[in-house]
Amino acid sequence: MTATADIRQTAQYMGIAICTLIMRTAFGVFGILWSIVKEIVNGVFRVAIGIIVAILSTIAFFGFILWLFTL
């Protein structure tokens, strides 16, 4: 191999290494952002379910009190 071919092959390997590093960094950042969004959505669902359960519990409690008045 000539020196030009060695330099070209070395440059190709370095380019592949740099592209790999950029892609791994991009996927890592995407993974972090995805986990943040996922936690926010899970939190919103937990709050919504908690509010629904609180409303249903309040309705059941007052319904039970009204039922006791009819005895």
Side-chain angles (χ1 to χ4, degrees), residues 43-70:
V44 168
F45 276 120
R46 280 187 187 168
V47 168
I49 290 172
I51 290 171
I52 290 169
V53 168
I55 290 171
L56 291 176
S57 297
T58 304
I59 291 170
F61 175 74
F62 285 115
F64 180 68
I65 295 296
L66 288 174
W67 176 75
L68 283 177
F69 283 141
T70 63

Side-chain angles (χ1 to χ4, degrees), residues 16-60:
I16 291 172
I18 290 170
C19 287
T20 304
L21 178 65
I22 290 171
M23 290 300 293
R24 288 185 67 188
T25 303
F27 282 127
V29 169
F30 178 73
I32 291 170
L33 291 176
W34 177 253
S35 65
I36 291 171
V37 168
K38 189 170 59 171
E39 287 297 323
I40 290 172
V41 170
N42 285 339
V44 168
F45 276 120
R46 280 187 187 168
V47 168
I49 290 172
I51 290 171
I52 290 169
V53 168
I55 290 171
L56 291 176
S57 297
T58 304
I59 291 170

